Amino acid sequence: MAELKVSVVSADKEVWSGTAKQIVARTTEGEIGILPGHEPILAILAMGDVRVTTTSGELITAKADGGFLSVEHDTVTLLAGQATLS
């Protein structure tokens, strides 16, 4: 089964990292869903929730106050000025 390697990072620390089967994040263009095999993308995050569904099915939610989302080769990095787990 394909999976995503995910890092949710705020300006001062890594908030969460692990493997996931799906990510949903709010960007300035609207909500985006990321699955394994997604095309490379760089997007600007809007203030809102980032929802990560882990490979074990657990839902992790982080509040982000803006930043960037990068996807390349099933590696997803979410970099926010402030990010906290909800």
Side-chain angles (χ1 to χ4, degrees):
M1 171 200 261
E3 60 186 33
L4 300 165
K5 290 187 277 182
V6 182
S7 294
V8 179
V9 181
S10 70
D12 60 344
K13 65 181 177 186
E14 184 172 66
V15 176
W16 186 85
S17 68
T19 57
K21 56 184 176 181
Q22 177 181 327
I23 305 219
V24 177
R26 183 175 309 277
T27 72
T28 57
E29 299 294 318
E31 213 168 61
I32 186 170
I34 308 292
L35 297 171
H38 196 284
E39 293 278 326
I41 187 172
L42 179 61
I44 300 170
L45 287 174
M47 186 176 290
D49 288 344
V50 174
R51 298 183 308 274
V52 179
T53 304
T54 67
T55 51
S56 65
E58 180 183 3
L59 180 64
I60 306 290
T61 303
K63 296 247 185 238
D65 73 347
F68 297 93
L69 172 135
S70 169
V71 179
E72 189 170 7
H73 302 294
D74 288 336
T75 299
V76 180
T77 305
L78 296 115
L79 175 59
Q82 294 260 18
T84 56
L85 292 181
S86 302

